[in-house]
Amino acid sequence: MDDFYALLGVSRQASADEIKRAYRQLARELHPDANPDDAEAHERFKEITAAYETLSDPERRQRYDTFGAAGARGSGPDAGAFFGGGGLGDIFEAFFGDATAGRRGPSGPPRGADAEAVLDLAFEEAVFGAERELTLRLPVTCGTCAGSGAAEGSKPITCEECGGSGEVRRVRQSILGQMVTSGPCGRCGGNGSIVDRPCADCRGDGRRTEERVEAVTVPAGVAHGQTLRSSGRGAAGSRGGQPGDLYLHVRVRPHDRFERDGVDLHAELRVSFTQAALGTHVDFETLDGSEEVAVAPGTQTGAIVRLRGRGVPHVGGRSRGDLHVHIVVETPTKLTPAQEELLRTLAKERNEPVDDASAAGLLGRIRSAFS
């Protein structure tokens, strides 16, 4: 079948990304490793690979669109040459997304494991940052052998199996030709060296598990649920391997007055109804100290006074969020006779109907009788 577009299941107007996605999906289904005993799948895999090789190259695709499959092969390799030649890397880059790139080269001693810990912070510590100390129990470099794993007077010997790389490569034959795979050396465990006389304190591992105190700098503005990464402060690697990283999961205790929303803070300010009606200035305790809040005359419950720059700092930045002060107007529940009379006078002046004193008194007596 010479219709390359039909082989990949795409239209002739398909973009390069669409062609690549279609090929990847088919390649996963038809790859010889996934269908070891299916000759038809093997043949189809060859066909879609040849189609992809042509359509993924703009020049070859143009020749194919103009002259067909024969024209596309005219100045490029045919399917047989493609599978046996230099195009093999392109196949696997398309199929695996070049996942093998990060594994090239010697691996040496294995990297230490990452460590995790919970970092409990007070609300103010999360807002303004803090210096904390954590006690962790982790593998650390052995002080006796300095991490080599070898006893005093000896040293590790380079592994003959991997030549000190810690990695071995194996070649096997497949329908695609020679396949090269790599993995940790089984003889030295990926360390690249062998210890004949192990250190008595670490038994040849080059590290010991101990408690250690880590000083941690908490940046201003961290939030509950975030994770901080500290590079190279995890478990030590065996025999001189690079240490892992330390991940700190932040847990912030709630505040009794402030709530956080991103970099903004919210709090309530309770004022009397006379203060709200006539206006006032109230000293309000922010996280930065006392600050005067102006309550305008006629303020209603739910009004918000914004104090700029009194919120949470942006992590790594200089600016801060705002503090939103939510006004709550309180209605008095217990009045002296003089206060009640003043309010009745006010209600009369504003022409606002209220229960008269006798009705209110009668109602109170009825409630008292049944309570």
Side-chain angles (χ1 to χ4, degrees):
M1 183 176 184
D2 286 335
D3 188 340
F4 289 169
Y5 292 100
L7 278 171
L8 296 178
V10 297
S11 69
R12 300 186 74 86
Q13 291 76 37
S15 66
D17 285 342
E18 290 172 331
I19 290 172
K20 188 172 186 177
R21 283 197 298 269
Y23 172 70
R24 282 183 171 182
Q25 182 176 350
L26 289 170
R28 289 188 182 97
E29 297 173 1
L30 301 172
H31 193 276
D33 287 349
N35 304 273
D37 302 318
D38 191 337
E40 184 178 351
H42 293 188
E43 189 61 32
R44 284 201 62 202
F45 183 76
K46 288 183 180 181
E47 291 175 350
I48 64 167
T49 303
Y52 175 74
E53 174 68 5
T54 296
L55 300 183
S56 63
D57 185 315
E59 292 184 7
R60 293 185 63 187
R61 181 178 180 179
Q62 184 177 14
R63 289 198 302 272
Y64 172 79
D65 290 343
T66 306
F67 303 108
R73 297 191 191 104
S75 58
D78 60 18
F82 179 79
F83 280 99
L88 188 60
D90 294 331
I91 296 178
F92 283 94
E93 181 176 350
F95 185 63
F96 295 108
D98 202 22
T100 58
R103 302 189 201 132
R104 293 170 186 158
S107 59
R111 176 179 178 272
D114 293 332
E116 294 181 284
V118 174
L119 182 62
D120 283 307
L121 299 175
F123 193 87
E124 292 85 352
E125 289 178 317
V127 172
F128 296 115
E131 297 290 334
R132 296 288 301 275
E133 288 188 345
L134 290 177
T135 301
L136 304 173
R137 186 170 179 79
L138 293 172
V140 298
T141 300
C142 176
T144 304
C145 64
S148 71
E152 186 177 359
S154 67
K155 61 181 181 179
I157 302 169
T158 301
C159 175
E160 296 180 357
E161 183 74 19
C162 63
S165 70
E167 181 182 76
V168 292
R169 299 194 174 201
R170 298 177 179 84
V171 180
R172 67 182 180 87
Q173 291 296 129
S174 75
I175 192 169
L176 300 177
Q178 287 188 339
M179 303 285 290
V180 180
T181 60
S182 60
C185 175
R187 184 176 181 187
C188 65
N191 287 292
S193 61
I194 297 173
V195 175
D196 284 338
R197 293 177 53 203
C199 169
D201 288 341
C202 66
R203 300 180 180 179
D205 187 54
R207 55 186 181 172
R208 295 182 296 183
T209 299
E210 297 178 356
E211 279 194 353
R212 72 184 193 203
V213 177
E214 287 286 346
V216 176
T217 299
V218 181
V222 297
H224 181 85
Q226 285 187 328
T227 298
L228 305 177
R229 182 173 75 98
S230 186
S231 299
R233 299 175 76 177
S238 65
R239 296 191 201 168
Q242 293 295 316
D245 297 333
L246 174 61
Y247 290 88
L248 300 175
H249 305 292
V250 176
R251 190 165 59 188
V252 181
R253 294 191 292 274
H255 199 277
D256 58 352
R257 292 179 54 236
F258 297 97
E259 289 188 5
R260 180 173 174 176
D261 180 16
V263 294
D264 289 337
L265 294 176
H266 297 264
E268 284 187 354
L269 172 60
R270 294 181 174 271
V271 298
S272 69
F273 80 104
T274 51
Q275 289 175 314
L278 301 175
T280 187
H281 287 75
V282 180
D283 287 334
F284 184 78
E285 199 65 32
T286 73
L287 291 178
D288 296 273
S290 183
E291 189 156 335
E292 189 175 73
V293 173
V295 180
T299 294
Q300 305 294 312
T301 291
I304 298 175
V305 178
R306 182 167 65 172
L307 302 181
R308 296 184 182 275
R310 291 293 181 264
V312 180
H314 292 269
V315 177
R318 296 182 179 180
S319 62
R320 291 176 61 177
D322 300 328
L323 170 57
H324 300 266
V325 181
H326 299 254
I327 305 298
V328 177
V329 180
E330 293 184 321
T331 302
T333 56
K334 295 181 180 180
L335 297 172
T336 66
Q339 292 169 342
E340 182 178 345
E341 185 61 32
L342 287 173
L343 288 178
R344 290 187 181 282
T345 301
L346 175 62
K348 185 176 180 180
E349 286 290 327
R350 292 177 57 84
N351 196 27
E352 296 172 347
V354 294
D355 290 339
D356 57 41
S358 60
L362 176 61
L363 250 137
R365 288 195 297 273
I366 294 172
R367 289 196 189 99
S368 298
F370 287 95
S371 61

